[in-house]
Amino acid sequence: MPSDLLPDDLDQPPPPEGPGLFGEEPTPAAPPAATPEAPATPYRVLARKYRPQTFADLIGQEALVRTLRNAFAQNRVAHAFMLTGVRGVGKTTTARIIARALNCVGPDGQRNLSRGPTADPCGVCPECQAILADRHPDVLELDAASNNGVDNIRELREAVRYRPARARFKVYILDEVHMLSTAAFNALLKTLEEPPPQVKFLFATTEIRKVPTTILSRCQRFDLRRVPQEQLRAHFARIAEAEAVPASEEALAMVARAADGSVRDGLSLLDQAIAQAAGSPEGVQANLVRDMLGLADRGLLFDLLEAAFQGDIAAVLAAIDRGHERGADPGVVLADLLDLTHTLTRLRAVPALRQDPSLPEAERVRGVALAEKLSVPVLGRAWQVLLKGIGEVAEAPDRRAAAEMVLIRLAHLAEMPTPGELVKRLTEGGAILPQPGAAPNGGAGGSRAMAGGGVVIAAEPAPAAPPQPRNFREVVALASGRAPMLHAHLLHHTHLVSFAPGRIELRQTENAPRDLAAQLSRLLQEQAGTRWTIALSNAPGEPTIAEQRSHVAGERLEMAKAHPLVQSILLAFPGAQVEALRDDSLDEYGLPPLPEAEDDGPDFAPPDAEPADLDDFDP
């Protein structure tokens, strides 16, 4: 073999010499095939590319980070953690950081078993790299939604019996742990309570209420907070700068607001916005994000609210048409109006908030001016209309028509006074509700009627009860707070036959206890300081106090409904109802006060004295 013949040439036939078989020129050898280019690195979405690697990278979870750092510093790391919070706030990410912190051996590999875990994993040692790549044999991440059976937990229980293959700890990360079945939870209890020393459990869930308390009591629980909008906006600005993508403050604020406290949701939206802005020198701008999210322009929202509060229905419909042309979703428009109404209410209720530097420019100028013109009751009424309207739009076959009807309703209400204003107008003459037997437009007593919004018509303080029992109601009041069961039986199961100082005659129902008389006698002896005689009778007696209260309440409610002032309120607010009646002239049992006992003057002879015969006296 010639020395210059390369091994690769052995697979190629030698080139032909001279003309071919049919006289044509020999075909030159084909050039070697071009080496295929290495495949391009697949794109990683921002949520994965910028996933926190250490505790220092977590945003908005300062309390969690501080607690975990202290636990690692003092070597007081629990055997089980329960991480809960809404989607995208960092539950699984935190679990992975804890797994690396437990098993990191340092960049030089010298952090051995004796030195223990660290709160700052290096991220470059073999253990950290393997956990980051999701290929560490001792760190297992399971999806409880698909591994929720008791057999899966039994396999886990068998696996925890063995020591780690190479790491310091075996770490089991169970995501969405609330999806485990009841039998699976029960199978996990014993292992979770007494795990082997080299095993750690990290649970994550968005539905903490579905996790049994027996599991929660065996874990250290951490509630991950929603990340504030300002922190999200700053975080997204840093990422946009790292990606060399220009982004306006308003656009990033829109993305942060739409993220609703979720870092992952916000990064997904930012990823989408960057893709839409590709090729644009301005980068991510507010109008692009607004179109992407189907949002209404902030100025359009102010136009809508101002027109609605002025009762200008034509301007409301024109603004809705402009939003529809821009692609704004009707449900999102109402949700944004609800959020703006909340902002205006805060500005109206707490004027100091107007100096908040984080307040957007539109709210600072137009928002403050609009809040000064509106009252809290008006804003509260608008909140109720919009809140109810969002549900109507979600269920309506024509969402745009439903949103228009909600806003027309809001504009129509602008011409109507609030319940408080209407009552103030109607009561300028000092009208009050009548008492039983009194004229409709006068009389004392002080009844109160609550129509729709619970408006007080008139009031009068109730008289204070005397300390010694002068009637049966005061006897019953002595039991209140001192003998609750006796008090309930006296109210509902006892009919008064007769009452006199020192003696009470009762008829009790079959639901009353047999020793009711003895209990009442002891109570009176203790509270009144005298001995009372309690006699039981078969006479019908008067209705129970509870029955009397129900009868009086029904009569007074009907009287309140028929009052001209209440009728005026009901006509002004269609659909309103008189739901309750409060009368301060009644006692604590809802009954009119009993009349004071008349004084018959002094007794000149004992009650058992014999009558004198006038014939015995001399003229």
Side-chain angles (χ1 to χ4, degrees):
M1 177 183 301
S3 60
D4 58 346
L5 186 62
L6 298 176
D8 293 339
D9 296 335
L10 295 177
D11 297 331
Q12 302 293 335
E17 298 180 0
L21 181 63
F22 298 100
E24 65 270 23
E25 293 295 329
T27 304
T35 304
E37 296 182 0
T41 304
Y43 176 70
R44 298 180 67 196
V45 296
L46 298 180
R48 294 188 60 192
K49 184 176 181 180
Y50 293 96
R51 169 172 280 172
Q53 305 297 320
T54 63
F55 289 128
D57 297 336
L58 289 174
I59 63 171
Q61 311 299 338
E62 290 78 12
L64 165 73
V65 172
R66 182 171 58 253
T67 303
L68 290 176
R69 282 189 174 279
N70 292 339
F72 277 100
Q74 301 173 17
N75 199 21
R76 300 175 63 89
V77 183
H79 66 279
F81 294 91
M82 180 68 67
L83 305 172
T84 179
V86 299
R87 70 197 182 281
V89 292
K91 299 182 297 297
T92 307
T93 296
T94 302
R96 292 174 178 174
I97 296 174
I98 294 175
R100 293 199 301 276
L102 288 169
N103 292 313
C104 177
V105 297
D108 55 358
Q110 298 303 313
R111 185 175 290 278
N112 52 28
L113 294 178
S114 62
R115 296 183 62 183
T118 175
D120 298 299
C122 66
V124 296
C125 68
E127 308 300 324
C128 289
Q129 289 292 324
I131 296 174
L132 283 170
D134 197 19
R135 53 179 173 79
H136 199 292
D138 295 322
V139 179
L140 303 178
E141 186 172 338
L142 304 175
D143 178 18
S146 55
N147 298 276
N148 58 1
V150 65
D151 292 336
N152 302 111
I153 300 301
R154 285 173 179 166
E155 293 177 6
L156 185 149
R157 288 172 51 189
E158 289 297 321
V160 300
R161 296 168 54 189
Y162 301 99
R163 295 180 60 84
R166 53 181 269 195
R168 187 180 293 112
F169 292 98
K170 266 190 175 182
V171 181
Y172 290 90
I173 302 175
L174 271 71
D175 200 8
E176 300 300 337
V177 70
H178 66 273
M179 298 293 288
L180 290 180
S181 64
T182 302
F185 274 126
N186 292 334
L188 185 61
L189 278 177
K190 189 63 176 177
T191 302
L192 192 59
E193 185 172 16
E194 298 178 359
Q198 286 80 27
V199 175
K200 303 289 184 182
F201 291 98
L202 305 175
F203 302 128
T205 178
T206 55
E207 300 285 346
I208 191 65
R209 294 183 179 179
K210 295 182 180 179
V211 180
T213 55
T214 51
I215 295 292
L216 292 176
S217 64
R218 291 164 170 83
C219 304
Q220 276 193 6
R221 173 175 167 177
F222 292 94
D223 292 84
L224 279 73
R225 303 167 49 244
R226 292 180 185 268
V227 182
Q229 288 187 19
E230 187 59 29
Q231 282 188 281
L232 282 177
R233 188 201 59 75
H235 182 59
F236 298 156
R238 290 192 297 268
I239 291 178
E241 183 179 358
E243 293 289 312
V245 176
S248 69
E249 290 286 331
E250 185 180 359
L252 294 176
M254 288 181 179
V255 173
R257 186 164 55 247
D260 193 23
S262 171
V263 182
R264 184 176 63 233
D265 288 5
L267 288 176
S268 298
L269 293 174
L270 181 60
D271 220 340
Q272 183 178 353
I274 292 175
Q276 288 199 0
S280 172
E282 294 84 7
V284 179
Q285 295 297 315
N287 57 348
L288 183 146
V289 176
R290 188 180 301 116
D291 294 340
M292 180 186 76
L293 299 177
L295 299 176
D297 186 353
R298 207 65 175 171
L300 176 63
L301 296 177
F302 277 103
D303 292 343
L304 272 172
L305 269 190
E306 288 174 352
F309 285 130
Q310 292 171 2
D312 191 346
I313 297 179
V316 167
L317 295 179
I320 279 286
D321 290 341
R322 293 199 305 272
H324 181 72
E325 293 173 359
R326 300 176 187 178
D329 181 80
V332 177
V333 170
L334 290 190
D336 287 346
L337 287 175
L338 190 72
D339 178 71
L340 183 55
T341 302
H342 171 251
T343 301
L344 294 177
T345 307
R346 295 185 67 202
L347 293 174
R348 177 66 178 177
V350 186
L353 294 177
R354 303 173 186 180
Q355 310 303 324
D356 187 356
S358 64
L359 199 66
E361 187 63 23
E363 278 80 350
R364 190 185 305 278
V365 179
R366 298 185 67 178
V368 171
L370 185 57
E372 290 178 349
K373 301 176 183 177
L374 303 172
S375 65
V376 172
V378 170
L379 289 167
R381 183 172 62 184
W383 170 274
Q384 294 293 336
V385 172
L386 292 170
L387 188 64
K388 186 173 184 294
I390 290 174
E392 295 175 358
V393 170
E395 298 175 358
D398 189 339
R399 293 167 56 85
R400 180 184 176 186
E404 289 181 353
M405 291 299 295
V406 172
L407 293 172
I408 290 173
R409 187 189 314 157
L410 184 62
H412 175 68
L413 286 174
E415 302 175 354
M416 300 180 64
T418 62
E421 294 171 350
L422 181 61
V423 171
K424 183 178 179 181
R425 296 177 188 177
L426 295 174
T427 57
E428 285 179 352
I432 58 174
L433 294 184
Q435 293 299 307
N441 293 326
S447 296
R448 293 189 179 188
M450 291 184 289
V455 179
V456 177
I457 303 301
E460 183 178 292
Q468 295 296 325
R470 297 171 298 177
N471 51 58
F472 183 61
R473 283 188 222 163
E474 293 181 4
V475 171
V476 175
L478 287 176
S480 177
R482 299 177 179 89
M485 291 301 298
L486 176 61
H487 182 258
H489 289 305
L490 292 174
L491 282 178
H492 299 278
H493 307 138
T494 305
H495 299 264
L496 176 67
V497 177
S498 66
F499 179 89
R503 189 178 189 279
I504 303 175
E505 187 175 356
L506 304 170
R507 177 176 68 85
Q508 63 184 44
T509 66
E510 59 183 8
N511 294 324
R514 294 184 177 181
D515 63 340
L516 182 142
Q519 293 183 38
L520 182 57
S521 179
R522 286 195 301 270
L523 177 71
L524 288 169
Q525 177 72 33
E526 295 171 358
Q527 301 299 324
T530 57
R531 185 171 182 176
W532 286 61
T533 299
I534 310 298
L536 299 180
S537 172
N538 291 326
E542 64 185 32
T544 65
I545 292 180
E547 293 170 347
Q548 296 178 45
R549 176 173 57 192
S550 177
H551 178 71
V552 170
E555 283 187 342
R556 300 213 166 196
L557 184 61
E558 292 301 322
M559 185 179 299
K561 291 180 179 178
H563 191 272
L565 179 59
V566 177
Q567 289 293 322
S568 300
I569 295 175
L570 296 178
L571 289 175
F573 295 94
Q577 296 181 353
V578 180
E579 297 181 350
L581 177 70
R582 186 176 65 197
D583 190 343
D584 287 345
S585 69
L586 304 180
D587 62 12
E588 58 183 314
Y589 296 112
L591 299 175
L594 292 173
E596 296 288 340
E598 296 183 0
D599 189 0
D600 295 332
D603 293 333
F604 292 94
D608 55 351
E610 294 290 337
D613 190 354
L614 296 179
D615 294 337
D616 295 339
F617 293 90
D618 292 334

